[in-house]
Amino acid sequence: MDILYDRNVTCLVCKQTYTTKKVRSRFIRPIQHDTDFCSHYASEEANPLLYYVHVCPHCGFAATEEFSTYFPPRTLETIEQHVRANWRGKNYGGVRTFRDAVDTYKLGIYCATLKTEKHIAIAGLYMRLAWLYRSKQKHEEEKRCMRFALEQYVASYEADDFVHTHMSEVRILYLIGELYRRLGNEKQAIIYFSRVIARKKETIEKGIVNMAYDRWQDIREEKKGAQ
């Protein structure tokens, strides 16, 4: 059985149908998890991050399953002018390389920005692109994407636009804290980890509370070691 399969997608902009590759769930077997939920895989071809963004070959609109079907006033016209009018018809529906995947994320972020998509959806794009760069040890690009992801997660938390998505309050608080920690802002990291720990009794996600406590302890140990 092939690792990849074709999934039919209907474009939100031009309404045409196309196929995009996805990794079969039985082949998605992480061998390692990082503290910011990044998963590592034994082979690149089985990495679902490569196929997270789907791109319409007809008009160039790139999206994910997290995108809403709603287009705020005038955004559809903006996408038509800036994406569809300049589209050269490249097809990302086949097997993707790392560079192909990076291009789809950049296009997805651009389309999400033009569409004024929810902060939580844009944050997810930046976060996954950071993970993709991490898989190739491209640390500068990874950090740059993490900074953008952090901005979007904070905006999402403040606007409550993560509500009714797969992202819970304790998870987004933890991710904000972890991104601050990875970017060297320990003071802000502790503030957000403390907010997670404070919700210990009211959340069912005890594992994330424990992770927040572990990261908080890591920061304390690092400070002691630096003295």
Side-chain angles (χ1 to χ4, degrees), residues 166-185:
H166 67 283
M167 184 69 70
S168 66
E169 184 178 15
V170 292
R171 183 175 287 260
I172 195 171
L173 286 170
Y174 172 82
L175 258 178
I176 292 171
E178 177 61 2
L179 284 168
Y180 271 124
R181 186 184 75 86
R182 285 176 173 263
L183 293 169
N185 192 334

Side-chain angles (χ1 to χ4, degrees), residues 35 181 213-223:
T35 52
R181 186 184 75 86
Y213 182 75
D214 288 343
R215 301 293 79 71
W216 184 67
Q217 287 287 81
D218 290 342
I219 293 172
R220 288 187 64 185
E221 292 301 320
E222 287 168 8
K223 283 186 175 180

